[in-house]
Amino acid sequence: MNDEFYSNVQSFYGLTNLFGFTELEISMAAGDDVYIDGWLGAALRNNLLFAADNVNVVGAISLRQAIDLLTIRQDHPLYNEMKGGFPKGFGLSLSTHQDSTFSCQLKKGEIIRFSIQLYGHFSNYLIPFSQAVQGMCTRGIGKPQTPFYLISITENPIVCLSDFTNNIGKADKQTITIQYTVPTNLYNDYKNKNNYHDRQHEFPGFYQLVRTLAYRIAKLTALYTHPDTTTFYPEIESTIATFTQPAVTPILTSAQLRRIELNSTAKKGLIDRIQFSGYTGELTFTGHFTNHLPLLLFMQNIGAGSNTTYGLGRYKIIKQ
């Protein structure tokens, strides 16, 4: 790799190193037998947001309002792109029931474990999110609407990208496996666009994962770490093309994927449900990964794609 690439690597990580998240690990048990009609992650997300309407963060501003508020100014480079919808300041990750992709029947006392990641300045909302989880459990979820016993909420220390960047610059050849643990779609951002991404058949390959994660962390950092700095996003965006280009070189050595389509849970008064699609399974690559591994390892905790608030887009990196 040449000096220009290493300079871009250093610039990319230098601009994103301060981005971090705080995590809440939640364990709760069904108060009675209950049916979850749809993807469990969607049930948790939708009921959490409903409960967030009844939790205030500042004055009369609810947690739900804070989640839905785009805080960047109209002269921000991302404003026009984000005003119709933007990455929220939190994500959700299932620790159990990841295989229940269509619906699931929970028995009385059955335990659900999941976590909530709060990005950047959203870590200030740890207490309101905890209160929303408590409200969700009290109100209940599923059919019939069933209260859950909240067993525990554990706050984990903040994790930053800088915790993963010690080995940048080394060029050892390695073999890694990308394990998509829940349905993951890396192509939502390119829907209805006529470019080369449309000719990849939605295949979640190494390059596409690196590119998706690079843009995701760039936008999350702009929104939740440097929302008042209008020069930040153009500066980091200028590094992404060079940073991601070497990600085309690893060789795919094995693949086992399955495409899954699933629905969200039904909303009161609405017939249509949100539909999701994505891949689960494993891809193994051989190549030089050192300069991309910090991003890949850190973003395991945050996920890829646009449906991470539903508990989708999660993957694991296994080094062999």
Side-chain angles (χ1 to χ4, degrees):
M1 300 296 176
N2 58 32
D3 292 341
E4 180 185 3
F5 170 69
Y6 285 124
S7 176
N8 271 273
V9 168
Q10 295 292 341
S11 296
F12 178 85
Y13 284 122
L15 290 165
T16 54
N17 261 344
L18 293 180
F19 179 77
F21 67 90
T22 303
E23 185 174 58
L24 291 172
E25 291 187 357
I26 296 105
S27 179
M28 63 190 206
D32 208 336
D33 292 356
V34 59
Y35 179 64
I36 307 297
D37 184 17
W39 168 239
L40 177 60
L44 293 172
R45 178 259 190 197
N46 294 340
N47 283 276
L48 180 68
L49 291 182
F50 186 92
D53 272 326
N54 300 309
V55 176
N56 287 349
V57 291
V58 179
I61 299 176
S62 71
L63 176 60
R64 178 65 181 271
Q65 289 172 319
I67 290 170
D68 291 336
L69 179 64
L70 179 61
T71 58
I72 56 176
R73 305 193 309 261
Q74 292 187 12
D75 62 345
H76 194 285
L78 285 173
Y79 182 80
N80 287 333
E81 177 184 345
M82 297 293 172
K83 64 182 180 182
F86 60 95
K88 303 307 181 187
F90 78 99
L92 186 150
S93 177
L94 291 175
S95 302
T96 62
H97 301 82
Q98 292 181 344
D99 295 331
S100 303
T101 52
F102 302 103
S103 61
C104 59
Q105 180 75 44
L106 303 177
K107 298 297 184 181
K108 180 178 180 179
E110 187 169 348
I111 295 174
I112 294 174
R113 294 187 179 89
F114 67 100
S115 59
I116 298 171
Q117 297 78 34
L118 306 180
Y119 311 141
H121 68 73
F122 254 60
S123 62
N124 295 327
Y125 298 145
L126 277 169
I127 293 177
F129 267 93
S130 296
Q131 293 171 338
V133 170
Q134 293 169 4
M136 175 181 69
C137 289
T138 300
R139 177 175 177 268
I141 65 174
K143 294 183 178 181
Q145 188 168 312
T146 302
F148 276 64
Y149 297 108
L150 181 59
I151 299 171
S152 64
I153 299 181
T154 303
E155 176 188 339
N156 292 330
I158 189 168
V159 178
C160 294
L161 178 57
S162 58
D163 298 330
F164 295 82
T165 54
N166 294 331
N167 295 320
I168 292 175
K170 295 182 180 179
D172 298 333
K173 192 172 184 179
Q174 302 176 59
T175 297
I176 66 170
T177 295
I178 302 169
Q179 185 180 80
Y180 292 108
T181 56
V182 294
T184 300
N185 186 348
L186 305 180
Y187 288 82
N188 290 345
D189 292 339
Y190 311 113
K191 188 176 181 181
N192 298 325
K193 291 186 179 181
N194 184 23
N195 57 35
Y196 79 95
H197 298 286
D198 300 324
R199 298 190 288 273
Q200 302 300 309
H201 309 289
E202 295 189 357
F203 183 72
F206 185 77
Y207 170 78
Q208 190 55 44
L209 179 59
V210 170
R211 186 182 188 277
T212 298
L213 296 178
Y215 274 99
R216 179 160 169 73
I217 195 171
K219 291 175 181 179
L220 289 176
T221 306
L223 292 174
Y224 299 107
T225 303
H226 304 294
D228 298 323
T229 306
T230 57
T231 58
F232 173 81
Y233 188 73
E235 186 177 0
I236 190 169
E237 187 180 33
S238 69
T239 71
I240 290 178
T242 303
F243 174 78
T244 58
Q245 193 280 328
V248 303
T249 61
I251 301 299
L252 177 66
T253 58
S254 69
Q256 185 176 15
L257 293 175
R258 178 188 177 196
R259 189 175 190 273
I260 293 175
E261 296 185 357
L262 63 159
N263 296 323
S264 71
T265 51
K267 290 187 177 181
K268 187 176 181 179
L270 297 178
I271 299 176
D272 295 333
R273 305 187 190 197
I274 299 174
Q275 294 183 321
F276 308 105
S277 64
Y279 289 89
T280 60
E282 294 184 354
L283 300 172
T284 299
F285 295 89
T286 297
H288 299 282
F289 306 107
T290 305
N291 293 296
H292 294 127
L293 272 176
L295 178 66
L296 290 165
L297 293 171
F298 174 71
M299 295 295 283
Q300 287 180 123
N301 304 290
I302 293 176
S306 58
N307 296 316
T308 55
T309 60
Y310 293 90
L312 299 172
R314 303 293 167 161
Y315 67 92
K316 293 181 181 179
I317 298 295
I318 302 170
K319 293 191 286 184
Q320 300 179 9

